[in-house]
Each structure stands twice: as C-alpha cells, then as structure tokens.
C-alpha cells in the first residue's frame, strides 16, 4: 500500500488550500471522478488480499504544493486533479488509485515480481508527482511523501496494510518533504510508543495538568544562582511524577504541543509575577519552546502580550529552542519569530547543541545568545577524551562568536573544574540542585547563598 500525503507540519496550510468545500471532490467531481472512493472500496475489492499474490500498498500525501494564498481554491482543485492523473499514469492496468480525502491518496499495486519492480514503479510515481504544475501564469512546485507496505510481508489484510502504510508515511514526512519510506517492524514499535506518549499527555492535561518545577542555573565563576530552567512535571495521585520524556512525542504534536506549552506558560508567568511582587530576584526563567509554536507567525505577539498582562519584563524570560526548529521550509518563519522575540529583550538559547542536524551557519543566521551543551557530552567528560574534545571545541566556538554557554547535567566537582577551566559561563545539574516546585524556591536561594560563601 502506498499512502501519499503532505507533510504533517503543513496541516494548517493544507486546510487553507483544501477547505470544507472540497468535500465535493469525494462524490464524483474533479480528482475523484475517475478514482475509487476510499477504504471501503479497497476492502470490497481486495478484502484479505484475494487475487493478489504479491502486492504493495501505499499512502501518498502528494497534494503538497507551494503557491501564494492569492491563487485561491481553483489552484487546490487543479492540484488534486493533477495528482490523480499523475498517479493513474504512473501505475499499470489493474493497479488501484483512490483518493482517501483531503490531500491523501492511496495506491494498491498488484502483481509485483520483486523489489526491482516496486522500485521502478515508485521511481516513476515520484518523477511524475514531483514535476512542476502549471496553473494559469504560475508554475507550482509539487512534493509528495510516500509510505509503502507490502503484502503479505507486512500484513495479511487491507486494514493492516493501510495502517502500516500510514505509519511508513508518517516516518517519510518526518524525514523531510518528498521522501518515500518502506514499512518495517521497528516503525510499528516506534508508532505505538509515540501513541502511548500522546495518550499519557491527553490524560495528564485533563487529570493531572503539568506544572513548572525550577532547576537552578549557576554562574560557574562564583557559584551564584543566576536563573532557573522551568521543567514540566505532572504529579500523579499516587505521588509519582510524569516526566517530559514520558510524553516527549506530544511536544511536537500540533494540538497537544500548544496545550502543554500554554499550561506551562500559565504557571511560569504566574510564578514570575508572584516573585516580582515579593521582591525575589530570581534572575530569569528559561522556557522550552516546541517547534509547533515557532512555526506560527503570530506566536511572538501572542507571547509578548501574555508577558505584559502578567507584568513580567521580557528580560526575565529566556526561550530554549532545539536545532530541529531550523530545519524545513518554515525556517524563514522561525527566523522572523526569533528576531522579533530577541528585539523585545528575550534571550534565545540553543538547547541540546550538537545532538541534532543543524549546521554551524545557524549560529550566524539566527539570534542565538546562549548555547547549551547537552548532558550526553558532560556525563563522561572525565573518562572519554572524545567528549572532552567536543566540549572544549564548543566552548572555543562560543567564545569566538561571543555566545554564552551553559553545561547541562553537571554532577560532580571534577566536571565543574573542567568546565570552569574551559571558560564555560553557567551550569545546571544535580551538583547545584534538582528541580523543585515554585513553593520551595527558598531552598534554591539557600543553595545560592551556600555556594556563594564557599
């Protein structure tokens, strides 16, 4: 099965291109006038693979295109029709093409001889789908992501075949636009793991809403607490704590990511306001910001308005972003948003530096004030010469660019001594204190005085 679909990060854009009125395409008009109508017909024709000795199924999100909003709905209609025609032209007689709804199509390829046959068909589909589409006076760039599952290797009925092709499509989208991915067992395990994370997050939002706990950030030169990182915690009725890693997939989910961020910001800003009113100099609070927010051009104004409503000066907030937000076609939106926030007085920190896929040019392109060295490089600093070399290189790079550095996961005095000698500015980790709820900030202040007096 071959699903074809647009990148999940573009759902907002796709919904504008293919609004509710395009539902008429499911009833015999435009692209669907020559296509079977979705999974019911697939099941009726191929049930448990009857008549298909060997085959492939795919879900294709191929109605992904780039054109200005002024193109209107006609451009969306034209793109849907073009995708349908191109898919029909790419497959052989006897193969089945169906539009599943929105920008998603399915293709059932029958009678595949060996992997070379399948590769040839996929290459032909990709070539046709990625060819530019001319609409009026414009040339529209088209991209399609494809997920592939094989019968009977990956499933023995249509339902599972479509499910596994969908999972492969999800992986293809995550790998970048215009990719194809073949299903494998590991993808199902990963998908099920992410599904459990999403379910935990949904349950937590309703029953045990996330609250911010604060881990101190310390000036390595004098031991003073200069700020805190706000970390998500969901305290369960039995006293156990749901950690960010337990719901990691939810942070990049288009709906759950925003809900979690909103709930965290609500608590963080309330705590900052209370500390300001009590005259507590808490320095700043670092907030982890998911990519789903930075891809929204309206986020900076919305966020700055919330700061103003809570009487929290922008200098009190530091936003932490990961390298992954710089990748993809929304990079220009991310840059605009970061520059807007930076101009307002908010510090920008690049989290987990060196563990992602960003290029060093991003340190120049984006307004980065702070680099955070991931704990995976700090953990074996004393025993692994490669980790020591990486940390030293990052510190030298940051020094040359005038960027401050924070070491995460500092747990002993030897690590602290190495980081101090290398010129690292700040650190956080169990050596300085674990994350605590806002009600226990006085304990963090005692940590501050204790380390300052040493």
């Amino acid at each position: 099965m071959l699903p074809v679909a647009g990148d999940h990060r573009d759902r907002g854009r796709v919904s504008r291109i293919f609004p509710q009125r395009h539902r008429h395409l499911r009833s015999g008009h435009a692209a669907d006038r020559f296509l079977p109508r979705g999974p019911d017909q697939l099941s009726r024709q191929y049930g448990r693979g009857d008549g298909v000795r060997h085959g492939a199924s795919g879900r294709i999100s191929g109605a992904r295109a780039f054109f200005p909003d002024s193109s209107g709905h006609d451009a969306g209609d034209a793109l849907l029709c073009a995708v349908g025609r191109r898919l029909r032209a790419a497959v052989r007689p006897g193969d089945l093409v169906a539009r599943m709804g929105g920008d998603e199509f399915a293709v059932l390829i029958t009678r595949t001889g060996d992997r070379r046959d399948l590769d040839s068909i996929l290459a032909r589909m990709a070539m046709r789908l990625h060819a530019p589409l001319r609409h009026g006076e414009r040339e529209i760039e088209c991209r399609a992501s494809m997920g592939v599952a094989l019968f009977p290797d990956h499933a023995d009925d249509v339902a599972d075949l479509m499910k596994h092709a969908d999972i492969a499509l999800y992986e293809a989208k995550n790998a970048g636009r215009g990719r194809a991915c073949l299903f494998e067992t590991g993808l199902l395990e990963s998908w099920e793991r992410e599904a459990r994370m999403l379910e935990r997050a949904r349950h937590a939002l309703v029953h045990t809403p996330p609250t911010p706990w604060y881990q101190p950030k310390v000036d390595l030169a004098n031991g003073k607490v200069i700020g805190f990182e706000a970390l998500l915690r969901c305290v369960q009725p039995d006293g156990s704590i749901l950690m960010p890693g337990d719901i990691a997939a939810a942070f990049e989910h288009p709906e759950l990511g925003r809900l979690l961020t909103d709930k965290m910001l609500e608590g963080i800003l309330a705590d900052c306001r209370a500390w300001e009113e009590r005259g507590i100099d808490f320095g700043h609070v670092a907030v982890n910001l998911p990519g789903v927010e930075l891809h929204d051009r309206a986020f900076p104004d919305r966020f700055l308005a919330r700061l103003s409503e809570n009487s929290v000066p922008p200098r009190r907030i530091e936003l932490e972003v990961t390298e992954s937000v710089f990748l993809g076609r929304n990079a220009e939106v991310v840059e605009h948003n970061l520059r807007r926030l930076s101009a307002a007085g908010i510090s920008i920190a690049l989290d987990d530096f060196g563990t992602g896929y960003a290029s060093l040019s991003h340190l120049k392109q984006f307004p980065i004030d702070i680099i955070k060295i991931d704990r995976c490089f700090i953990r074996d600093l004393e025993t692994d010469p490669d980790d020591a070399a990486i940390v030293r290189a990052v510190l030298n790079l940051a020094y040359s660019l005038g960027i401050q550095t924070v070491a995460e996961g500092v747990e002993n005095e030897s690590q602290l001594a190495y980081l101090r000698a290398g010129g690292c500015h700040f650190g956080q980790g169990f050596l300085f204190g674990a994350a605590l709820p806002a009600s226990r900030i006085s304990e963090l202040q005692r940590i501050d005085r204790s380390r300052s007096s040493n």
Side-chain angles (χ1 to χ4, degrees):
M1 186 98 191
L2 303 167
V4 189
D7 192 318
H8 71 283
R9 289 169 296 185
D10 298 326
R11 280 296 175 193
R13 174 75 173 131
V14 167
S15 66
R16 292 197 296 273
I17 299 172
F18 306 114
Q20 292 293 320
R21 80 181 196 85
H22 285 172
R23 287 183 173 174
H24 69 273
L25 298 181
R26 297 295 304 275
S27 58
H29 182 68
D32 281 349
R33 66 187 173 211
F34 46 79
L35 301 176
R37 296 178 197 163
D40 291 341
Q41 184 166 346
L42 285 174
S43 295
R44 284 197 301 273
Q45 282 189 241
Y46 295 99
R48 296 185 56 82
D50 298 338
V52 185
R53 183 170 303 169
H54 296 286
S57 170
R59 295 293 294 274
I60 304 175
S61 184
R64 162 101 180 258
F66 303 90
F67 45 82
D69 288 335
S70 60
S71 297
H73 301 314
D74 288 345
D77 285 344
L79 183 58
L80 282 174
C81 292
V83 169
R85 286 193 299 269
R86 291 176 179 187
L87 286 174
R88 286 289 296 270
V91 300
R92 305 155 308 170
D95 295 337
L96 183 67
V97 178
R99 176 168 172 253
M100 309 305 287
D103 66 332
E104 293 192 359
F105 292 76
V107 179
L108 187 65
I109 299 173
T110 60
R111 305 179 314 282
T112 55
D114 56 26
R115 181 63 186 270
R116 285 176 299 179
D117 287 347
L118 178 60
D119 288 344
S120 175
I121 296 170
L122 291 177
R124 191 160 62 243
M125 290 170 60
M127 180 184 69
R128 290 180 179 274
L129 289 172
H130 295 170
L133 170 68
R134 188 139 200 92
H135 179 70
E137 298 300 316
R138 296 189 177 95
E139 190 171 79
I140 303 171
E141 179 189 355
C142 302
R143 286 291 181 270
S145 299
M146 295 187 283
V148 185
L150 304 178
F151 173 87
D153 304 53
H154 301 141
D156 60 4
D157 61 44
V158 167
D160 282 346
L161 199 61
M162 292 177 66
K163 173 185 173 182
H164 294 167
D166 255 334
I167 292 170
L169 173 61
Y170 179 78
E171 183 67 16
K173 291 176 181 179
N174 284 340
R177 62 179 187 164
R179 305 291 183 88
C181 177
L182 179 65
F183 176 82
E184 57 185 48
T185 304
L187 294 181
L188 178 59
E189 294 171 353
S190 176
W191 180 83
E192 290 174 340
R193 184 168 57 251
E194 289 194 12
R196 288 193 295 271
M197 289 182 179
L198 297 181
E199 185 55 36
R200 285 191 207 109
R202 291 188 182 96
H203 184 273
L205 283 165
V206 174
H207 300 286
T208 55
T211 57
W213 286 29
Y214 300 92
Q215 184 175 44
K217 295 169 65 177
V218 171
D219 187 330
L220 299 189
N222 57 29
K224 289 185 64 65
V225 174
I226 51 88
F228 303 90
E229 179 178 359
L231 300 172
L232 178 146
R233 299 289 186 267
C234 298
V235 182
Q236 307 301 297
D238 62 1
S240 63
I241 298 176
L242 193 70
M243 305 290 281
D246 298 322
I247 57 172
F251 295 113
E252 295 306 322
H253 187 277
E255 178 186 357
L256 295 177
R258 283 196 168 94
L259 291 174
L260 290 168
T261 301
D262 186 69
K263 199 65 182 176
M264 282 291 288
L265 287 176
E266 180 183 317
I268 291 166
L269 296 181
D271 291 337
C272 289
R273 183 178 65 246
W275 293 333
E276 288 271 6
E277 291 172 351
R278 290 162 54 191
I280 297 175
D281 184 9
F282 58 92
H284 68 269
V285 173
V287 181
N288 291 279
L289 194 64
V292 67
E293 295 286 12
L294 280 175
H295 292 152
D296 180 1
R297 192 176 285 270
F299 173 76
D301 289 337
R302 191 166 64 242
F303 180 67
L304 293 172
R306 292 187 71 170
L307 291 183
S308 178
E309 291 165 6
N310 286 274
S311 301
V312 176
R315 64 180 175 80
R316 293 292 198 182
I317 298 296
E318 178 180 293
L319 294 179
E320 295 188 3
V321 301
T322 59
E323 296 172 324
S324 60
V325 302
F326 302 145
L327 308 178
R329 80 178 193 88
N330 284 327
E332 72 283 354
V333 177
V334 172
E335 181 178 3
H336 168 271
N337 288 346
L338 290 179
R339 292 197 179 282
R340 172 81 175 88
L341 293 164
S342 179
I346 294 173
S347 296
I348 309 297
L350 182 55
D351 199 8
D352 302 335
F353 183 73
T355 62
Y357 304 98
S359 101
L360 293 178
S361 65
H362 291 139
L363 295 177
K364 178 180 178 181
Q365 179 182 354
F366 297 93
I368 304 300
D369 303 296
I370 299 150
I371 288 175
K372 299 195 72 176
I373 306 173
D374 190 74
R375 67 183 67 248
C376 71
F377 301 121
I378 305 298
R379 183 177 54 243
D380 299 321
L381 192 58
E382 309 138 282
T383 58
D384 190 328
D386 291 338
D387 282 342
I390 290 171
V391 170
R392 188 166 56 249
V394 172
L395 292 174
N396 289 336
L397 173 67
Y399 175 80
S400 299
L401 295 174
I403 297 175
Q404 293 184 316
T405 49
V406 178
E408 297 183 292
V410 182
E411 297 184 353
N412 60 55
E413 294 290 345
S414 296
Q415 294 169 346
L416 175 59
Y418 185 94
L419 292 166
R420 274 177 171 161
C424 185
H425 298 93
F426 312 112
Q428 62 184 95
F430 290 136
L431 181 62
F432 310 115
L436 295 174
S439 59
R440 297 174 61 185
I441 191 173
S442 58
E443 297 177 34
L444 300 176
Q445 289 179 301
R446 285 197 292 273
I447 293 171
D448 184 355
R449 288 194 293 270
S450 172
R451 295 200 66 84
S452 298
S453 62
N454 289 339

